[in-house]
Amino acid sequence: MLALLAAGLALLVAAGAQDGPAPGSRFVCTALPPEAARAGCPLPAMPMQGGALSPEEELRAAVLQLRETVVQQKETLGAQREAIRELTGKLARCEGLAGGKAQGPAATGKDTMGDLPRDPGHVVEQLSRSLQTLKDRLESLEHQLRVNVSNAMLPSDFREVLQRRLGELERQLLRKVAELEDEKSLLHNETSAHRQKTENALNALLQRVTELERGNSAFKSPDAFKVSLPLRTNYLYGKIKKTLPELYAFTICLWLRSSALPGIGTPFSYAVPGQANEIVLIEWGNNPIELLINDKVAQLPLFVSDGKWHHICITWTTRDGMWEAFQDGEKLGTGENLAPWHPIKPGGVLILGQEQDTVGGRFDATQAFVGELSQFNIWDRVLRAQEIINIANCSTNMPGNIIPWVDNNVDVFGGASKWPVETCEERLLDL
């Protein structure tokens, strides 16, 4: 319809431009058939697309075509407004002539303007509506194009946002790991420093305790003392603070001096739960000195009740129950089958001067030791004969690796006392 209207207006404008209105002349308005309009004003052909296009490209092409069409329509509308003004005047003149000759030939003739609107304003209104329709279609296509393009780009944008978010999370994780590593390193350093500080404090405290013990001791050295048990009672005794571990062999050495009769009593005893006679050295009544291990007895050929200092050593091993007895560095006896394959039980009580009937108690005054004891040491092996000789003749000072003779390891009870002991050489002269 728009194309037909444009073609008719163009022909009328052309006719009006060729022949200006002469005074007294007439205008004949003839309607053009649609075929003539199509032949005179062909529509521009749509360009053919060579290949398959994507929906976005087709939308873009359609939008461009619509834009071109709108521009052309605007130009055509501007030109047609001038033509409409001219046609308005011509139509007014034609209508005036037609009204003056109601009976003339023109009254029975053909309506030359029957296919066009009589009102020029209505023509403009139709063109405006057509133009608005084209604008609406153009905006709809542009909006659809934007939506399609946005939907097409959404996965890519989403991937970019996701990658950025993952990158931020990764950086945060790395920062957190670095912070944890720093805290771990700092904690390790603080722990090491605290441990070192604690160890230093403990070492200083131990050194101070040792100095105080030496300062408060009345003896020249920690082992330069003896325990005196002057009476045969059941309440004088000494106690070794340390206990024994499990032993499969041992060597026990001590210096003793006694003149008690009959028998010197019990220089030492070791009792454990279930066995009060785990290790005992005793001379009771007119019997010889005996060594008891797990309540099994071996008689030792030792003679020490002359009131002089004597060095006594006893060795034993669980293998075949072999034992040895030394007096003043000389081996005086040996034997076997003394509690063979019986290990010495740990965790017992070691008493000086009393024989135990229960662990740590029930002493018998008739079995008490009367005299002086010193240098009581225990090793967890059988010492060689030469080692025992060297200890006995004072050529070496060899503390026991299980029980050493030191002042702070021996307590005395019931009137027993500690005194400075004669030197090793003085004891030798007493032999």
Side-chain angles (χ1 to χ4, degrees):
M1 180 65 184
L2 183 62
L4 294 176
L5 182 59
L9 292 175
L11 292 176
L12 290 175
V13 171
Q18 290 178 358
D19 298 322
S25 61
R26 294 181 178 180
F27 295 93
V28 178
C29 297
T30 305
L32 295 177
E35 293 77 5
R38 291 192 193 94
C41 298
L43 293 174
M46 296 295 291
M48 299 298 293
Q49 301 297 329
L53 298 177
S54 63
E56 292 79 0
E57 293 177 348
E58 291 179 358
L59 289 174
R60 291 192 182 96
V63 169
L64 292 176
Q65 291 176 2
L66 288 174
R67 286 178 177 173
E68 292 176 358
T69 303
V70 169
V71 172
Q72 292 176 0
Q73 292 296 334
K74 287 181 178 180
E75 294 177 354
T76 303
L77 183 59
Q80 288 176 355
R81 284 177 180 173
E82 297 296 330
I84 287 171
R85 284 195 292 270
E86 296 177 359
L87 286 174
T88 300
K90 292 180 179 181
L91 286 173
R93 288 193 293 273
C94 288
E95 290 174 352
L97 292 174
K101 294 183 177 182
Q103 303 297 326
T108 59
K110 184 179 179 180
D111 185 5
T112 59
M113 297 296 292
D115 59 338
L116 291 176
R118 293 291 184 178
D119 188 3
H122 184 62
V123 175
V124 174
E125 183 180 355
Q126 286 185 345
L127 291 176
S128 299
R129 284 198 298 268
S130 299
L131 180 61
Q132 185 65 37
T133 301
L134 291 175
K135 287 183 179 180
D136 294 341
R137 290 180 63 189
L138 175 61
E139 291 177 357
S140 177
L141 289 174
E142 288 179 345
H143 177 69
Q144 184 177 359
L145 178 61
R146 284 195 299 270
V147 171
N148 291 337
V149 171
S150 175
N151 292 335
M153 294 300 291
L154 180 60
S156 177
D157 294 341
F158 180 74
R159 283 194 299 270
E160 292 178 0
V161 172
L162 182 60
Q163 289 176 355
R164 287 196 301 270
R165 183 59 179 168
L166 290 176
E168 293 176 359
L169 292 176
E170 183 177 2
R171 287 190 293 270
Q172 293 177 2
L173 180 60
L174 291 177
R175 286 196 299 269
K176 189 63 177 178
V177 170
E179 292 175 359
L180 291 176
E181 290 292 338
D182 294 340
E183 292 179 0
K184 179 180 177 182
S185 176
L186 181 61
L187 180 61
H188 176 72
N189 294 335
E190 291 179 352
T191 303
S192 300
H194 180 69
R195 183 169 58 251
Q196 185 64 33
K197 184 178 179 180
T198 303
E199 290 178 355
N200 293 337
L202 289 176
N203 291 334
L205 181 60
L206 180 60
Q207 183 178 1
R208 180 59 178 165
V209 169
T210 303
E211 291 175 356
L212 290 175
E213 288 176 346
R214 290 180 179 178
N216 293 332
S217 176
F219 313 121
K220 295 180 181 179
S221 62
D223 63 341
F225 72 98
K226 61 184 178 182
V227 173
S228 176
L229 304 164
L231 302 174
R232 194 182 295 273
T233 69
N234 63 350
Y235 53 84
L236 272 74
Y237 66 97
K239 182 178 179 182
I240 305 297
K241 293 180 180 178
K242 293 184 64 176
T243 187
L244 297 181
E246 187 176 48
L247 297 175
Y248 297 90
F250 65 77
T251 298
I252 300 177
C253 294
L254 72 154
W255 285 85
L256 61 82
R257 180 167 64 179
S258 178
S259 59
L261 293 173
I264 64 173
T266 306
F268 66 88
S269 65
Y270 175 69
V272 296
Q275 181 52 268
N277 296 324
E278 188 71 3
I279 305 175
V280 180
L281 183 67
I282 185 172
E283 185 183 44
W284 182 31
N286 295 318
N287 299 314
I289 294 180
E290 295 176 341
L291 175 64
L292 283 72
I293 296 180
N294 193 30
D295 211 24
K296 305 300 187 295
V297 181
Q299 294 183 347
L300 308 181
L302 302 178
F303 306 94
V304 294
S305 59
D306 57 359
K308 297 181 180 180
W309 281 107
H310 292 283
H311 186 259
I312 303 299
C313 278
I314 300 167
T315 70
W316 174 86
T317 176
T318 187
R319 183 175 182 179
D320 296 327
M322 297 183 63
W323 58 270
E324 296 174 319
F326 294 80
Q327 181 176 328
D328 301 326
E330 181 182 357
K331 184 191 295 186
L332 298 183
T334 185
E336 61 182 11
N337 202 32
L338 177 61
W341 314 111
H342 169 75
I344 302 300
K345 296 177 182 179
V349 176
L350 191 55
I351 296 294
L352 300 177
Q354 296 285 351
E355 192 272 336
Q356 307 172 64
D357 286 338
T358 61
V359 178
R362 287 187 61 184
F363 304 142
D364 186 350
T366 62
Q367 298 174 340
F369 174 80
V370 179
E372 296 174 328
L373 299 172
S374 185
Q375 300 299 317
F376 180 85
N377 292 280
I378 300 179
W379 295 264
D380 60 356
R381 62 184 178 88
V382 174
L383 296 185
R384 298 189 302 272
Q386 187 59 48
E387 291 177 316
I388 294 175
I389 292 172
N390 292 337
I391 295 172
N393 62 22
C394 303
S395 61
T396 184
N397 184 16
M398 191 169 136
N401 66 332
I402 299 299
I403 301 294
W405 182 253
V406 290
D407 183 18
N408 60 6
N409 193 38
V410 180
D411 289 333
V412 291
F413 301 91
S417 58
K418 295 181 184 179
W419 296 93
V421 69
E422 297 86 345
T423 64
C424 187
E425 290 76 10
E426 291 173 345
R427 293 193 296 268
L428 282 177
L429 293 175
D430 193 40
L431 292 177

